[in-house]
């Protein structure tokens, strides 16, 4: 199994600012995934982060708004840039295990005022 | 495109009773995987059960079982002997290929409330 930690666990930010969310995994993984969960909604995949290459974004998400870094096999960051109240969400990172498992971090609750 | 549909926004069940949460899916792939996750109010995503398309038996994990009907493209979650702690959001998800691995495509979820 994989244990995933995220920092910060929650934050309240002002409109127009940026927040960087960190995701740390206790084992080396090739791919990490970032999801967004808007209030009362389901999880939506933002991007796939491969180590050593640019992240690949899903339709509706762009690098300028959600830049992602993946400096090594256990760590990734997601930045939410130029925030607006619509960015208020839970952001979760995830990794796939060796079998069929998909592990999630505890999430970062972001509120934009 | 792969799609997951959960048509029950909310469900109620009395403690100790069984409840079925519905999930239908759409895919043109022959090989696919289906998941159920529980999300309590704390926000964490708790893996419950997995069913592969080629698995001959319905998956079971303790009080959770998956009623997999391939021809109907349904993968309903059955929770037996409900407990108050089962009150949460439940999401059905399908594995989607991303490069050499898989991410998840989620349904809209079902909110389950277990009453005493």
């Amino acid at each position: 199994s994989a244990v995933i930690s995220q920092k910060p666990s929650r934050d309240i930010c002002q409109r127009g600012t940026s927040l960087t969310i960190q995701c740390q995994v206790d084992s080396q993984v090739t791919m990490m995934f970032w999801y967004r969960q808007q209030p009362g909604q389901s999880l939506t995949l933002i991007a796939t982060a491969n180590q050593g290459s640019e992240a690949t974004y899903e339709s509706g998400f762009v690098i300028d708004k959600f830049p992602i870094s993946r400096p090594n096999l256990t760590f990734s960051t997601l930045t939410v840039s130029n925030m607006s109240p619509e960015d208020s969400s839970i952001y979760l990172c995830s990794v796939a295990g060796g079998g069929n498992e998909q592990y999630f971090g505890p999430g970062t609750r972001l509120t934009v005022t | 495109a792969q799609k997951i549909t959960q048509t029950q926004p909310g469900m109620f069940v009395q403690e100790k009773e069984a409840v079925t949460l519905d999930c239908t899916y759409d895919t043109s792939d022959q090989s696919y995987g289906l998941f159920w996750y529980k999300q309590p109010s704390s926000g964490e995503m708790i893996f419950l059960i997995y069913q592969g398309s080629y698995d001959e038996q319905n998956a079971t994990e303790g009080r959770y079982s998956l009623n997999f009907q391939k021809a109907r493209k349904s993968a309903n979650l059955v929770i037996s002997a409900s407990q108050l702690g089962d009150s949460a959001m439940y999401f059905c998800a399908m594995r989607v290929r991303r490069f050499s691995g898989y991410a998840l495509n989620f349904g809209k979820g079902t909110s389950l409330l277990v009453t005493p």
Side-chain angles (χ1 to χ4, degrees), chain B residues 10-14 83-84 86-88 90 111-115:
Chain B
M11 291 281 287
F12 291 89
V13 65
Q14 203 158 20
Q83 302 172 356
L84 296 178
D86 293 335
S87 294
Y90 288 81
S111 177
L112 176 66
L113 182 62
V114 181
T115 59

Side-chain angles (χ1 to χ4, degrees), chain A residues 3-72:
Chain A
V3 177
I4 304 173
S5 59
Q6 286 185 235
K7 289 182 183 178
S9 58
R10 59 177 65 230
D11 207 340
I12 300 173
C13 300
Q14 289 199 333
R15 180 196 298 261
T17 62
S18 298
L19 175 72
T20 296
I21 301 168
Q22 299 178 8
C23 178
Q24 179 77 50
V25 187
D26 69 343
S27 57
Q28 293 184 339
V29 292
T30 304
M31 284 183 293
M32 297 174 78
F33 305 98
W34 287 97
Y35 293 83
R36 180 178 73 180
Q37 186 177 24
Q38 294 178 301
Q41 304 295 314
S42 184
L43 282 75
T44 301
L45 182 65
I46 298 172
T48 302
N50 271 320
Q51 194 271 333
S53 62
E54 293 285 327
T56 302
Y57 291 81
E58 300 295 309
S59 175
F61 297 96
V62 294
I63 188 171
D64 290 346
K65 176 67 175 177
F66 297 102
I68 288 172
S69 78
R70 184 77 202 277
N72 58 53

Side-chain angles (χ1 to χ4, degrees), chain B residues 2 65 85:
Chain B
Q2 291 154 319
S65 60

Side-chain angles (χ1 to χ4, degrees), chain A residues 30-31 33 35 37 41-45 48 50 56 58 90 92 96 100-106 109, chain B residues 35 37 39 41-45 47 50 91 95-96 98-109:
Chain A
T30 304
M31 284 183 293
F33 305 98
Y35 293 83
Q37 186 177 24
Q41 304 295 314
S42 184
L43 282 75
T44 301
L45 182 65
T48 302
N50 271 320
T56 302
E58 300 295 309
I90 300 175
L92 301 103
N100 297 308
E101 307 91 344
Q102 298 270 343
Y103 301 103
F104 284 84
R109 287 180 184 266
Chain B
F35 297 76
Y37 281 84
Q39 188 180 43
S41 58
S42 60
E44 62 183 312
M45 294 294 287
F47 166 76
Y50 168 82
F91 292 99
R95 205 172 55 184
V96 290
R98 289 296 181 268
F99 301 99
S100 60
Y102 296 94
L104 294 176
N105 184 30
F106 286 87
K108 292 185 181 296

